[in-house]
Amino acid sequence: MAGSPGKICFLKERMTMNLFFEEDGAFKAGVILNATDAAYQIELPTGKRIKVKKSHSFFEFSAPPPLEFIQQAQAVAETIDLDLLWEFAAAEEFTYQDAAKEYFGEEAGKLEQAGTLFRLHAYPVYFYRKGRGKYRAAPEETLKLALAAIERKRKLDEQKDAYVKELLEGRAPEAIAAQAIQLLSKPDKNSIEWKALKEATDIRSCSPLRLLLEVKAIPNAWRYHVENFFSINFPKGKEFPKTFPEPQKECFEDLPLADGQAFSIDDSNTTEIDDAVSVTPVGDNRTKLGIHISAPGLGILTDSEVDKAARERMSTVYAPGLKTTMLPKSWVKAFSLDEGNICPVLSLYALVDNETFEVVVTETRLERIKIAANLWYDKIESQVTEEAVRDNTLDIPFGKEMSWVWHFAKHLQQKREEVRGRPEPVGKIDWYFDLKGEDENATVELKGRKRGAPLDLLVAEVMIFANASWGEWLEKKKVAGIYRSQRMGKVKMTSVPGPHDGIGVEYYAWSTSPLRRYVDMVNQRQLIAAVRDEKPPFKANDLDLFSIISNFDTKYTAFNDFQTRMNRYWSLRWIEQEKIENIKVTVVKGDLVRLEGLPMMQRVPGLPEYSRGQNLLMKVVGIDYIELVLELRLVEVLDQEDAEDLSEEELVEVEEPQENPAPQTNSSDSEQPKSNEAS
């Protein structure tokens, strides 16, 4: 009796049957609990019970137990020579049992069969699956190509792992450093460089940019901001092709030569002088004001190589210490209104009454004019005081003419203010940077220009007058144009004539900066056609005109955004350079503040609610050159009576991109866009 229980257990073990089957693409084994003609009820080694269709089963076996069977079958699979298995395989479709017999011989058992199935299934490059347990060997040439691809992938994976290792050790792999900016702006996410960078940043829990800066693949934040911008907006590079044709200025010699002597007002570092004025007394207590605009629209033919390049860029790019022109240097030089040259110009003449400064009549001409002088804003600014121009005691070249233009400009401004219903903001300082040195190593010098100063006023008002007059003339001539329009809201570019409420004019068509803005060149070509009574290049409903407007909006917004970001960068650099610990700010709206004496606004998270214009003293806690923000902490709420009074125009800057967010550095829109619509 003592041996009976053992015998019973032995018989029970012999009676247990197991099943080798496939479930969800995986090979498994379990104990058979029950079976019908269509299915098995199986208990897995985990204790879970499942139903397995008979069509999904391979064979039954009694030993070893399911878990051990799978482990042993996988061990058998590892012993099978893959190339030999492929070589022995039949040319046509075969089963795993056939393959096991070919490899192990006729005596191949259940473990060998299962091991062969594991091996066949694990290498689809060698064996194509043709059904459950059925395969076909890959053709020799196809296999060679597939194996070569696998080897290439293996080497790439090894290379990627090496890159990741270098990045985590604080070094920049040469291949990643060579395309660091592209990996941020336009990454090829299938490249091993991107995959390595992504894996390394995932491990480090940081952004790709910060890791690339840390390992010096990008030398510093300035390089990132600049090179990332140009990578996105100038994918072909900043330089113009050397194959561009040179301008032929001789073709303008048949234009009539104007009688007047023209002078321009710009900063001394200006290279694109595209506007000048002349002032000529004509008797009967009247004066003829000439506004002369460079005429590249005469020499740059539509769809020419130079025109296509200008249309692709849409505008000159400005930022502190940087300028990338819309036109090649030789073409800028050919049409720039440089002192001593006789230049082709599109001129707007206004006959003005000297007592009332009312405009009697205007006329547009296509002509040549002698540029008598280029006056430099930074050289004469201190002498051109409001008292001197008002009293006509300005002792500089063209001082008398400049005083007359100032009086006319004051009249124009007053008329615009009546339409606007409020005065122009004056007195505010537009801050800008003069950099001494190269690129990111430059020393920062902060300078300011007062809005409404005589030079600023006279040039700005004359340009507004020209743009408004030509916009109205295009409409009267029924010639299409591109207008700046604002009605109770955001300024927009449009082909539909309409008022500009912010400026206070009925029409406004940018036309005075054709060397630096493509919209101005388009309008100039339309004006030239109107002067010559010829068919203009564009009709009002021209799809190509709509395309120009859309592309200009996109590019101009991107360029202004870049200028704003670089102003923020150099503001931060100046704060660090001057070792500023506490800085005064003015609340603009909510948690948005403007930094005193700098062209920069930013948000201060967690700032308590203060009324707009409230001045605060804040401590500089940290500087982030990547995000271009200061970390600030409130130190003191300053007396309300010291608070800066913000105008409605300044509050418009809060959420949306400004018309021209960077501070002006010259009064005639020569080197940088203006801080108002006068540009």
Side-chain angles (χ1 to χ4, degrees):
M1 293 294 294
S4 296
K7 185 175 181 181
I8 293 171
C9 291
F10 173 73
L11 291 174
K12 191 173 182 179
E13 185 178 335
R14 286 185 59 192
M15 290 170 61
T16 301
M17 292 300 293
N18 307 304
L19 182 70
F20 182 54
F21 61 95
E22 181 179 359
E23 182 188 45
D24 297 332
F27 302 135
K28 300 179 180 180
V31 177
I32 300 173
L33 300 177
N34 195 8
T36 66
D37 291 340
Y40 292 96
Q41 186 181 14
I42 301 297
E43 183 178 313
L44 298 175
T46 60
K48 181 181 178 181
R49 296 187 176 189
I50 62 173
K51 183 179 180 180
V52 178
K53 294 180 181 179
K54 283 203 171 181
S55 60
H56 289 196
S57 65
F58 295 113
F59 53 76
E60 297 180 6
F61 64 94
S62 59
L67 183 58
E68 292 182 26
F69 180 86
I70 293 297
Q71 293 171 343
Q72 292 179 26
Q74 289 173 336
V76 169
E78 292 298 321
T79 67
I80 297 175
D81 187 307
L82 196 59
D83 292 319
L84 195 60
L85 182 65
W86 176 82
E87 185 178 339
F88 283 171
E92 303 300 326
E93 187 177 300
F94 59 87
T95 66
Y96 70 95
Q97 297 100 323
D98 297 332
K101 289 178 181 179
E102 286 291 335
Y103 191 88
F104 290 104
E106 290 293 331
E107 68 279 5
K110 298 295 177 70
L111 279 173
E112 286 76 15
Q113 292 178 25
T116 303
L117 182 57
F118 273 118
R119 201 64 160 171
L120 291 169
H121 196 73
Y123 290 89
V125 171
Y126 281 83
F127 306 102
Y128 303 153
R129 190 178 186 189
K130 295 297 181 181
R132 189 164 283 104
K134 297 179 181 180
Y135 295 87
R136 184 172 183 174
E140 184 175 1
E141 288 303 315
T142 305
L143 179 60
K144 286 181 179 178
L145 292 174
L147 291 176
I150 290 172
E151 179 62 16
R152 286 196 299 272
K153 184 178 183 305
R154 184 189 65 79
K155 290 182 177 179
L156 288 175
D157 286 342
E158 288 181 354
Q159 185 66 72
K160 182 202 65 153
D161 292 342
Y163 288 163
V164 172
K165 184 173 184 293
E166 281 191 76
L167 288 169
L168 294 178
E169 291 175 350
R171 302 190 305 276
E174 185 176 339
I176 288 179
Q179 54 179 305
I181 295 296
Q182 186 177 343
L183 287 171
L184 298 172
S185 60
K186 296 179 181 178
D188 175 3
K189 295 190 177 181
N190 291 319
S191 67
I192 61 168
E193 290 82 10
W194 169 258
K195 291 178 180 178
L197 179 61
K198 184 66 170 63
E199 185 174 325
T201 55
D202 287 345
I203 294 172
R204 287 287 306 277
S205 297
C206 67
S207 69
L209 171 57
R210 291 192 183 273
L211 182 57
L212 290 173
L213 285 167
E214 182 180 321
V215 300
K216 300 299 182 183
I218 300 174
N220 50 54
W222 183 89
R223 287 289 180 90
Y224 162 69
H225 292 299
V226 172
E227 293 181 16
N228 185 61
F229 166 80
F230 283 107
S231 173
I232 294 171
N233 294 281
F234 292 78
K236 298 178 183 178
K238 295 185 290 184
E239 302 302 321
F240 292 96
K242 295 181 180 180
T243 57
F244 270 9
E246 292 299 311
Q248 302 297 318
K249 203 171 181 180
E250 293 78 10
C251 60
F252 310 130
E253 293 181 354
D254 60 339
L255 294 175
L257 182 63
D259 295 332
Q261 294 283 297
F263 63 95
S264 66
I265 302 174
D266 298 273
D267 273 351
S268 56
N269 59 353
T270 300
T271 59
E272 300 161 288
I273 303 175
D274 49 16
D275 58 78
V277 297
S278 61
V279 180
T280 308
V282 294
D284 296 329
N285 200 28
R286 292 177 175 179
T287 297
K288 183 174 67 174
L289 170 68
I291 304 169
H292 312 286
I293 306 302
S294 169
L298 280 172
I300 301 175
L301 301 180
T302 303
D303 290 331
S304 64
E305 287 184 85
V306 176
D307 179 63
K308 289 177 180 177
R311 180 169 174 172
E312 185 175 356
R313 297 189 176 204
M314 285 293 176
S315 171
T316 293
V317 179
Y318 300 97
L322 297 169
K323 184 174 76 170
T324 303
T325 59
M326 181 182 75
L327 295 172
K329 289 182 179 179
S330 60
W331 287 83
V332 170
K333 185 66 177 175
F335 292 97
S336 180
L337 306 184
D338 294 335
E339 183 175 317
N341 290 347
I342 297 177
C343 303
V345 291
L346 183 66
S347 298
L348 175 67
Y349 287 100
L351 187 62
V352 182
D353 184 286
N354 288 338
E355 290 186 2
T356 64
F357 286 100
E358 289 291 337
V359 176
V360 178
V361 66
T362 61
E363 180 186 6
T364 298
R365 298 179 192 170
L366 195 57
E367 59 187 4
R368 294 176 299 146
I369 195 167
K370 175 71 176 290
I371 307 301
N374 293 143
L375 304 179
W376 306 123
Y377 192 110
D378 43 321
K379 302 288 179 63
I380 64 174
E381 179 182 11
S382 60
Q383 301 173 63
V384 186
T385 63
E386 187 164 336
E387 181 182 11
V389 293
R390 185 185 62 241
D391 299 340
N392 197 19
T393 59
L394 196 57
D395 187 20
I396 59 174
F398 292 95
K400 182 178 179 181
E401 290 83 353
M402 207 176 295
S403 293
W404 184 92
V405 175
W406 180 81
H407 284 285
F408 178 58
K410 292 290 286 185
H411 174 74
L412 293 174
Q413 183 187 52
Q414 182 181 354
K415 291 185 68 175
R416 290 194 306 103
E417 289 178 343
E418 290 173 0
V419 176
R420 282 162 45 91
R422 60 185 184 277
E424 284 278 3
V426 296
K428 181 180 182 295
I429 304 297
D430 286 322
W431 299 100
Y432 64 97
F433 298 106
D434 186 10
L435 305 182
K436 308 297 183 183
E438 293 295 322
D439 300 337
E440 68 270 25
N441 299 315
T443 301
V444 191
E445 185 176 344
L446 183 63
K447 294 183 176 181
R449 179 165 296 165
K450 191 175 183 180
R451 287 189 188 179
L455 281 177
D456 179 70
L457 174 70
L458 69 89
V459 176
E461 289 298 333
V462 166
M463 293 305 117
I464 291 175
F465 175 71
N467 289 325
S469 298
W470 273 332
E472 181 179 12
W473 193 59
L474 286 173
E475 169 65 2
K476 286 182 178 179
K477 297 282 286 186
K478 302 303 179 186
V479 175
I482 300 176
Y483 295 85
R484 302 281 288 178
S485 179
Q486 183 188 34
R487 289 184 177 179
M488 303 297 292
K490 186 178 179 182
V491 178
K492 64 179 181 178
M493 304 289 292
T494 176
S495 63
V496 179
H500 194 306
D501 294 340
I503 298 179
V505 293
E506 284 298 310
Y507 304 94
Y508 199 74
W510 267 347
S511 309
T512 55
S513 296
L515 293 178
R516 70 201 66 241
R517 281 192 308 241
Y518 193 74
V519 163
D520 298 57
M521 192 187 296
V522 170
N523 279 337
Q524 185 176 91
R525 287 172 177 157
Q526 299 293 98
L527 289 163
I528 289 171
V531 171
R532 290 176 165 175
D533 200 22
E534 298 175 346
K535 181 181 178 181
F538 297 104
K539 296 179 181 179
N541 59 351
D542 197 312
L543 292 178
D544 204 24
L545 188 64
F546 296 150
S547 175
I548 290 171
I549 292 172
S550 175
N551 291 338
F552 180 84
D553 261 340
T554 300
K555 287 290 182 74
Y556 203 64
T557 298
F559 294 175
N560 277 345
D561 179 64
F562 172 65
Q563 188 181 27
T564 299
R565 292 202 312 274
M566 296 315 295
N567 276 334
R568 294 174 70 87
Y569 174 84
W570 289 110
S571 294
L572 299 179
R573 279 288 305 275
W574 183 84
I575 289 170
E576 182 179 35
Q577 172 186 289
E578 300 300 313
K579 298 180 173 58
I580 304 296
E581 296 183 359
N582 294 312
I583 190 164
K584 184 180 175 182
V585 306
T586 301
V587 175
V588 178
K589 183 179 180 181
D591 62 355
L592 183 69
V593 301
R594 174 185 285 114
L595 277 61
E596 184 184 58
L598 288 168
M600 178 177 172
M601 293 191 295
Q602 76 160 58
R603 296 197 176 279
V604 182
L607 185 70
E609 188 72 26
Y610 293 106
S611 60
R612 81 182 194 192
Q614 174 65 59
N615 289 335
L616 308 171
L617 185 65
M618 307 204 79
K619 180 176 179 60
V620 177
V621 179
I623 298 176
D624 188 336
Y625 286 109
I626 298 175
E627 299 297 332
L628 297 176
V629 294
L630 282 173
E631 184 181 352
L632 298 171
R633 184 182 303 141
L634 181 62
V635 175
E636 182 182 355
V637 178
L638 302 177
D639 292 340
Q640 185 65 33
E641 55 264 29
D642 295 330
E644 179 184 358
D645 183 21
L646 297 181
S647 67
E648 292 297 324
E649 287 79 3
E650 292 172 295
L651 291 173
V652 173
E653 303 171 357
V654 173
E655 293 295 346
E656 298 184 6
Q658 301 172 54
E659 278 303 303
N660 296 289
Q664 65 189 76
T665 57
N666 67 86
S667 59
S668 62
D669 186 32
S670 294
E671 282 301 286
Q672 293 192 22
K674 282 189 171 55
S675 56
N676 56 39
E677 277 286 346
S679 56

